[in-house]
Amino acid sequence: MHTVMVNRRAAARLERGHPWVFRSDLEGVPDVPPGSVVRVQLARGKPIGTAHYSSTSQIALRMLAERDAVIDEGFLRERLSAAIALRQRVVRDSDSYRVVYGEADFLPGLVVDRYGDSLAIQTLSQGMDALQPLIVNLLGELLHPRAVVEKNEVQTRALEGLPLRSGVLAGALEGPIIISLNGLRFEVDLLGGQKTGFFLDQRENYAAVRRFGRGRALDCFTYGGGFALHLASVCESVEAIDSSATAVARARRNAEENGLGNVSVKEADVFQLLASYQAARRSFETIVLDPPAFTKSRSRKEDAGRGYREINRRALSLLTPGGILVSCSCSHHVSGAELLAAIQEASLDVRRPVRLLETRSQAACHPIRVGVPETEYLKCFILEAAW
């Protein structure tokens, strides 16, 4: 095993539980093949653990174990089995969920999502990409999927110097599949959909919002209709909006698949539509905001803050007294406190006080590893408007 030396700053970070070492914290330039399993130690010789080495990313080392470890079939089977066991404990009423969540499952650079009897995987580091054939074989042994597809068309791989690609790795997949979430059926396109096919991180929030919804509901940025379909059973009517024609068509099919006649889906720019609804004096008792990340970098946080303030201001302008606002953010760089501050500013703008009823995060199948803030990203606030 090759050895890579790190400085004290890196060692202190690892001792605090964070599994990354940045290239600037390496002692010299390692003569190590890309994606290698390496021994990590301080310059004076104190061993720290075992990691994957990246030759191109600013994250040069991703720790796999706090000891010398052989990263072989037995190691991977143990880690995958532990991840699967956790999901068996925390997932209810759904056949689709995240099976492996990278650093949170002590398998940095690996994501595995289950969709019914099929799996979608992402190998986001040089080291995990090299292990992909072995990982696919082990997933077949442990979960017996009908198909395994890779969804490796993400920018993270470009930073690793890896090609962007997607396709079927094992088994057979013919077109979209139908999954079950909280007793509802959804069509998912594993190869063509966003993320790995669906927004599984909102699974528990979908069910939670159903406890609060009522009256006329508006679901903004609906994608496949996740919030809209869950609200249909408790609301008089649900209007679902998305700017993607593909998403709109899929949300309509999902409503039909579940026999929900009170859900209408419209293709539109959400910001423009909310402004037109305000001009027309329309109102709703329940509004959901689940936009894509307004920023994926720390440098654009200020612009993101303005975006969250504006979208919440427009939504609050349409909300009836006592109405429910569900406001989400999936941007890691915008904290829950910052999103709540944007909502507060929006409420002051429209003179509509709000009360916070529930604070939520990503589903339990996306566990947050304490000490690794990058594993926490989804914020979901359920609020009630006053007069």
Side-chain angles (χ1 to χ4, degrees), residues 186-304:
F186 292 88
E187 179 185 281
V188 174
D189 183 355
L190 293 190
L191 291 176
Q194 293 185 33
K195 291 197 172 182
T196 61
F198 203 76
F199 291 90
L200 299 175
D201 49 7
Q202 291 279 27
R203 177 177 48 82
E204 294 171 8
N205 295 332
Y206 292 151
V209 166
R210 187 160 51 188
R211 294 188 282 108
F212 294 91
R214 61 185 178 82
R216 294 158 297 178
L218 180 64
D219 177 20
C220 301
F221 311 97
T222 193
Y223 188 53
F227 281 108
L229 270 62
H230 281 78
L231 285 168
S233 63
V234 295
C235 291
E236 171 189 331
S237 62
V238 183
E239 190 172 324
I241 311 299
D242 203 284
S243 61
S244 164
T246 301
V248 166
R250 179 153 291 123
R252 284 175 179 155
R253 289 195 296 272
N254 288 337
E256 294 169 359
E257 177 74 27
N258 291 275
L260 300 174
N262 63 338
V263 177
S264 62
V265 188
K266 179 181 297 186
E267 180 183 347
D269 177 276
V270 170
F271 281 89
Q272 294 177 4
L273 188 74
L274 294 184
S276 67
Y277 280 1
Q278 183 179 2
R281 298 185 178 276
R282 291 197 60 184
S283 62
F284 298 86
E285 283 75 29
T286 305
I287 299 178
V288 177
L289 301 176
D290 185 21
F294 285 163
T295 179
K296 294 187 178 181
S297 67
R298 195 177 301 276
S299 62
R300 299 296 300 274
K301 275 183 61 172
E302 187 174 338
D303 291 341

Side-chain angles (χ1 to χ4, degrees), residues 80-103:
L80 290 171
S81 296
I84 292 167
L86 171 63
R87 276 62 181 189
Q88 290 172 340
R89 295 194 300 271
V90 302
V91 177
R92 297 288 181 273
D93 302 322
S94 300
D95 65 6
S96 300
Y97 47 87
R98 178 145 294 181
V99 178
V100 178
Y101 181 36
E103 282 76 0

Side-chain angles (χ1 to χ4, degrees), residues 353-358 382-386:
V354 293
R355 295 189 292 188
L356 180 60
L357 303 182
E358 196 162 315
I382 303 176
L383 309 110
E384 180 187 54

